[in-house]
Amino acid sequence: SQKIEQNSEALNIQEGKTATLTCNYTNYSPAYLQWYRQDPGRGPVFLLLIRENEKEKRKERLKVTFDTTLKQSLFHITASQPADSATYLCALDINAGNMLTFGGGTRLMVKP
Amino acid sequence: DAGVTQSPTHLIKTRGQQVTLRCSPKSGHDTVSWYQQALGQGPQFIFQYYEEEERQRGNFPDRFSGHQFPNYSSELNVNALLLGDSALYLCASTVPGQWETQYFGPGTRLLVL
């Protein structure tokens, strides 16, 4: 069956450190992968999109890598801050029509 | 510039009832997608509307139906509510021709008792 897996356990890190979140998928060949941030009781907010022909993309303190051979994306937040605490979701468009399929999300807690 | 808006914010219904949720897309957006997010899980795609027609549909029963109006706003209807329909219902809109980036509303929290 088709799956998108994110670590369901919360990730706790100290302020200033780099947070690394993982998204693994099986049985897909997505044209692109997206990362979203979701705060409690709010809708997801788009952060980054990386295409299948891109290995890495950066935006300010955020970096995403995409390995289509390993079927894995890594999401990094450098110099993390308590305000980065949220749930981070990865999503794939599995049939090129914007029917996004989301992973379960990983909750990040950045402690001061 | 208002973002995606949804109403109501919260709703309580009983099993067997019907519910209608509403979404107004971000200004300039013409495509609306609906997602269901159960507690502790990622959003699940229900369907997408474009040019007032259902363009794509996820794995949801026919009890879930929708509509898009000429002003691009949209409704999600759920009939014969089940306890398992309790969730956060999210609406997302996209810019014409830029379907990749979706802008989500704050959601409607539905509780079915």
Side-chain angles (χ1 to χ4, degrees), chain A residues 32 34 36 38 41-44 46 49 51 89 95-100 102-105, chain B residues 33 35 37 40-43 45 48 55-58 88 90 99-102 104-106:
Chain A
Y32 56 83
Q34 302 183 23
Y36 287 79
Q38 187 172 27
R42 310 283 293 270
F46 171 79
L49 178 152
R51 301 185 186 281
L89 300 157
N95 64 355
N98 270 305
M99 178 180 150
L100 287 181
F102 283 84
Chain B
S33 300
Y35 293 81
Q37 186 174 25
Q41 298 183 22
F45 178 83
Q48 183 181 84
R55 181 170 171 264
Q56 292 196 80
R57 188 179 183 92
L88 180 68
L90 296 161
W99 292 331
E100 298 163 344
T101 303
Q102 302 204 15
F104 283 84

Side-chain angles (χ1 to χ4, degrees), chain A residues 13-100:
Chain A
I13 64 168
Q14 204 66 35
E15 182 177 9
K17 301 293 186 183
T18 296
T20 298
L21 286 69
T22 304
C23 176
N24 294 297
Y25 60 93
T26 60
N27 299 332
Y28 291 133
S29 295
Y32 56 83
L33 182 147
Q34 302 183 23
W35 283 88
Y36 287 79
R37 169 184 172 141
Q38 187 172 27
D39 292 286
R42 310 283 293 270
V45 174
F46 171 79
L47 295 175
L48 281 169
L49 178 152
I50 186 165
R51 301 185 186 281
E52 60 179 339
N53 61 348
E54 298 175 314
K55 294 295 185 185
E56 179 180 300
K57 185 166 263 188
R58 294 174 184 260
K59 179 183 176 182
E60 298 173 350
R61 295 184 296 111
L62 309 180
K63 184 178 85 171
V64 172
T65 63
F66 193 14
D67 189 325
T68 55
T69 300
L70 291 179
K71 295 187 181 293
Q72 180 182 78
S73 175
L74 299 178
F75 177 80
H76 306 272
I77 304 176
T78 58
S80 60
Q81 305 165 1
D84 295 326
S85 299
T87 295
Y88 291 86
L89 300 157
C90 73
L92 305 178
D93 180 352
I94 63 173
N95 64 355
N98 270 305
M99 178 180 150
L100 287 181

Side-chain angles (χ1 to χ4, degrees), chain B residues 18-113:
Chain B
Q18 179 265 344
V19 68
T20 297
L21 310 181
R22 295 176 177 83
C23 170
S24 290
K26 193 172 167 64
S27 177
H29 290 194
D30 63 353
T31 301
V32 172
S33 300
W34 286 92
Y35 293 81
Q36 179 196 67
Q37 186 174 25
L39 202 59
Q41 298 183 22
Q44 284 196 314
F45 178 83
I46 303 175
F47 42 53
Q48 183 181 84
Y49 277 85
Y50 172 67
E51 293 187 340
E52 302 180 48
E53 292 193 358
E54 185 181 289
R55 181 170 171 264
Q56 292 196 80
R57 188 179 183 92
N59 189 26
F60 278 80
D62 292 344
R63 297 187 298 109
F64 290 77
S65 63
H67 189 78
Q68 186 179 35
F69 299 94
N71 67 352
Y72 308 121
S73 67
S74 177
E75 287 182 350
L76 164 66
N77 300 293
V78 187
N79 294 322
L81 284 167
L82 304 174
L83 296 180
D85 295 331
S86 296
L88 180 68
Y89 288 85
L90 296 161
C91 167
S93 68
T94 56
V95 175
Q98 297 180 27
W99 292 331
E100 298 163 344
T101 303
Q102 302 204 15
Y103 295 81
F104 283 84
T108 294
R109 175 71 64 186
L110 172 65
L111 177 61
V112 182
L113 301 176

